[in-house]
Amino acid sequence: MTSGSTEASGISGAAPRRGPATDTGEEPNGGPVSDGGAKVDGDGGKQPRSVGLAVFALMIAIMLAMLDNMIIGTAMPTIVGELGGLEHLSWVVTAYALTTAASTPLWGKIGDMYGRKGVFLTSIIVFLAGSVTSGAAQSMSQLIGFRALQGLGAGGLMVGAMAIMGDLVPPRQRGKYMGMMAGVMSFAMIGGPLVGGTLTDHLGWRWAFYINLPLGALALVMVTTLLHLPKKRAQGRIDYGGALLLATGITAAVLLTSWGGTEYDWDSGMILGLGALAVVALAVFLFVERRVAEPVLPLGVFRSGNFSLVTVIGFLLGFVMFGSMTFLPLFQQTVQGASATNSGLLLLPVLLPMMVVSVVTGRATTKTGKYRAYPLIGGALIPVGLFLLAQMDVGTSRLTSGLYMAVLGTGMGFLMQLTMLIAQNSVESKDMGVASSTSTLFRTIGGSFGVALMGTFFADRVSDSMAEQAAAGAAGGAPGAGGSGGGAAQLTEGGAQLDAASLAKLPEAVRVAYEHAVADGTHTVFLIAASAALIGFVAAWFIKEVPLRGAEPGADT
């Protein structure tokens, strides 16, 4: 497994440890690690079966968090149809991503202080509690709140699994397990939309959340019985102030992008207040982080130009990726008439090229030690793919949209691994974990901003388009014009189902008007995403080809 291809999981963060270990049980030279009394040969000996089973439990937990994000996209039209609240569509995804991002640094720090196993088990329980309550939600507001709870647990799943991996497996053995985790990520990204669509069509959208329960229960049992970690001796002070300021600033900024122009006018007191709160909270956060002994987000890593550049690119990649996966299924189901199951399958043109290219690129980078060309290629393909997707309308065939999606997926594949790999290579070995967690955090925040901002413009454009078509129909005396206007109000307020079967039952004037409105909305959001991706392409030009540490022939194992 290559060092580059470990990032295919999207959650790389457990760096090989150097120097004396204080709390992991790993010998300073990367030697034996204790696992309930069993020794692991740091020189390449075979590991105990219990270690492999424990790592399998970690993979189940990681799959819970990754699969849930992918499942929800294809279920969203049906969820909105039953619960209403189209204007709050983006918050079902945003609330999850936001609490995941805000909680990740805290989960990691608490694990360092009180022991990873107990904290990891707690995060699984919180995640499952969020899954149960999300499945039982009776309104969009409840679902958003319960998704936030679920995201809180997901933050602990990611950071906990990677940290425990570092405790259990010595560096020389870690590569094969990272490869297995890349496979888990591939399954989640490719199988998630299909599983979500199948569950939604045959069992109902609530099972998109309930499916987590058996998997989570299995992970709980396996972690409890198989995972044995040494006691923690290292203690630290949690930067609660920094964590609170960071969460406040991020939340205010995302609320501003979500509410501006929809719930409130851009020049309203609420929006201006949120903008001021975001600026002040983040400014004070920077001040605090420079002075605390153990900052939740160390700022020294940003002294590296490459690290800062790939952090920006990672933010924009999250912006594009989360937004695309949210609005593509909506277009496919509403405009192209796909079922929830089929819209999951129709996402394969994005996901398959992304996974194949990311693996191939990672292995090529490790073999040659060269990587600068890949961010440039990916940075060019992503805005091209998004611009092509912005051209879709009610007459676009599935084959054409699939080709456009393949361009986008190929571009994202060139960046999926490289952003993390370059970030890790841009800092000292002692800051490897910080580089990984910071990159993951900014990608998640980018996703939150992307979905919130695109959701705002999407809902606004759909509403305006419906009103324009209703007015044009009324002015021309077209039959059903009045119905179209009434349908506009009903649909944009979330009173009607948005899946293909329900839309087919609507009066033709309303259905056609709504299909055009959704096409207009997706045109707008993909143009916004393309503009953001162009910034990433510009940033990629300034990346320097810094030699990869350990990138030498034979490094591949």
Side-chain angles (χ1 to χ4, degrees):
M1 185 68 192
T2 69
S3 62
S5 55
T6 61
E7 170 53 14
S9 66
I11 52 176
S12 178
R17 302 204 173 207
R18 298 287 187 268
T22 59
D23 65 339
T24 66
E26 182 178 306
E27 295 296 331
N29 63 356
V33 176
S34 173
D35 179 42
K39 296 293 184 181
V40 181
D41 185 357
D43 293 325
K46 187 176 181 180
Q47 294 171 305
R49 181 173 178 176
S50 58
V51 173
L53 291 174
V55 172
F56 177 70
L58 300 180
M59 293 182 185
I60 293 175
I62 289 173
M63 187 170 65
L64 283 173
M66 302 305 299
L67 194 63
D68 191 81
N69 247 343
M70 302 308 301
I71 282 178
I72 195 65
T74 48
M76 276 309 303
T78 304
I79 293 174
V80 173
E82 182 173 326
L83 299 182
L86 173 64
E87 69 276 15
H88 302 305
L89 165 70
S90 63
W91 270 100
V92 177
V93 177
T94 300
Y96 180 91
L98 195 60
T99 52
T100 299
S103 65
T104 294
L106 274 179
W107 281 113
K109 191 66 175 180
I110 295 172
D112 287 339
M113 291 183 63
Y114 300 109
R116 303 196 202 283
K117 179 176 177 178
V119 173
F120 186 58
L121 289 172
T122 301
S123 69
I124 295 176
I125 293 171
V126 171
F127 181 84
L128 294 180
S131 298
V132 171
T133 50
S134 293
Q138 299 300 310
S139 68
M140 187 62 79
S141 297
Q142 289 182 13
L143 179 59
I144 291 170
F146 296 144
R147 283 281 286 169
L149 176 64
Q150 195 181 29
L152 186 66
L157 294 181
M158 295 294 192
V159 70
M162 296 308 299
I164 291 172
M165 172 78 74
D167 284 351
L168 281 179
V169 185
R172 289 190 61 178
Q173 293 288 330
R174 206 170 295 159
K176 62 180 180 181
Y177 291 111
M178 289 292 187
M180 294 167 65
M181 286 189 172
V184 169
M185 177 64 175
S186 301
F187 174 78
M189 296 195 73
I190 295 174
L194 177 59
V195 171
T198 302
L199 290 173
T200 301
D201 281 345
H202 300 288
L203 295 178
W205 65 265
R206 298 181 187 275
W207 276 94
F209 299 105
Y210 293 151
I211 190 63
N212 294 327
L213 300 183
L215 291 173
L218 178 60
L220 278 174
V221 171
M222 294 185 70
V223 170
T224 301
T225 58
L226 297 174
L227 188 60
H228 305 284
L229 296 175
K231 298 294 184 181
K232 301 293 178 182
R233 296 193 297 272
Q235 293 291 316
R237 301 181 63 181
I238 300 176
D239 181 18
Y240 286 115
L244 180 61
L245 287 167
L246 180 61
T248 300
I250 293 171
T251 301
V254 174
L255 284 173
L256 185 152
T257 58
S258 179
W259 288 349
T262 53
E263 300 285 337
Y264 303 94
D265 292 332
W266 285 106
D267 59 352
S268 66
M270 175 63 75
I271 297 301
L272 295 177
L274 285 172
L277 177 61
V279 171
V280 171
L282 294 176
V284 176
F285 169 75
L286 295 176
F287 178 82
V288 169
E289 295 303 277
R290 291 180 181 274
R291 285 158 178 77
V292 296
E294 298 182 25
V296 67
L297 181 60
L299 302 179
V301 293
F302 290 99
R303 295 192 185 101
S304 166
N306 269 10
F307 182 85
S308 298
L309 287 168
V310 296
T311 299
V312 170
I313 293 171
F315 175 91
L316 296 170
L317 181 61
F319 186 103
V320 169
M321 187 162 54
F322 276 80
S324 300
M325 295 306 172
T326 299
F327 292 100
L328 274 173
L330 189 61
F331 176 87
Q332 291 168 329
Q333 293 182 44
T334 303
V335 178
Q336 295 184 325
S339 66
T341 300
N342 287 339
S343 67
L345 288 171
L346 292 173
L347 287 177
L348 289 179
V350 173
L351 300 175
L352 283 176
M354 180 172 66
M355 295 311 304
V356 171
V357 172
S358 66
V359 171
V360 171
T361 301
R363 298 190 71 85
T365 299
T366 301
K367 184 176 181 179
T368 65
K370 304 293 184 181
Y371 55 81
R372 186 174 181 271
Y374 301 133
L376 288 172
I377 297 171
L381 287 176
I382 289 175
V384 170
L386 290 167
F387 180 78
L388 290 173
L389 289 172
Q391 309 312 306
M392 297 189 303
D393 55 28
V394 293
T396 302
S397 69
R398 293 182 184 179
L399 175 61
T400 300
S401 61
L403 292 174
Y404 295 165
M405 291 158 64
V407 176
L408 174 62
T410 301
M412 291 195 294
F414 278 105
L415 292 176
M416 281 293 290
Q417 297 180 73
L418 266 298
T419 52
M420 182 69 76
L421 179 63
I422 296 172
Q424 292 176 338
N425 195 60
S426 301
V427 300
E428 299 178 21
S429 296
K430 66 182 180 66
D431 292 323
M432 194 75 73
V434 169
S436 302
S437 62
T438 302
S439 296
T440 302
L441 175 65
F442 272 84
R443 186 179 296 186
T444 304
I445 294 172
S448 300
F449 272 70
V451 175
L453 189 63
M454 291 186 203
T456 297
F457 280 95
F458 177 81
D460 187 56
R461 184 59 194 135
V462 167
S463 179
D464 288 347
S465 181
M466 290 291 285
E468 291 168 3
Q469 293 183 67
S484 180
Q490 186 184 33
L491 287 168
T492 54
E493 291 171 6
Q497 283 195 317
L498 299 176
D499 57 26
S502 299
L503 285 172
K505 300 176 183 177
L506 293 174
E508 183 177 1
V510 177
R511 178 180 56 78
V512 171
Y514 189 68
E515 288 176 358
H516 279 86
V518 170
D520 288 344
T522 52
H523 170 80
T524 299
V525 299
F526 284 124
L527 281 182
I528 293 171
S531 301
L534 281 174
I535 299 174
F537 176 59
V538 173
W541 277 99
F542 294 93
I543 292 177
K544 298 178 180 179
E545 188 83 76
V546 178
L548 290 174
R549 291 190 296 268
E552 56 191 17
D556 235 357
T557 57

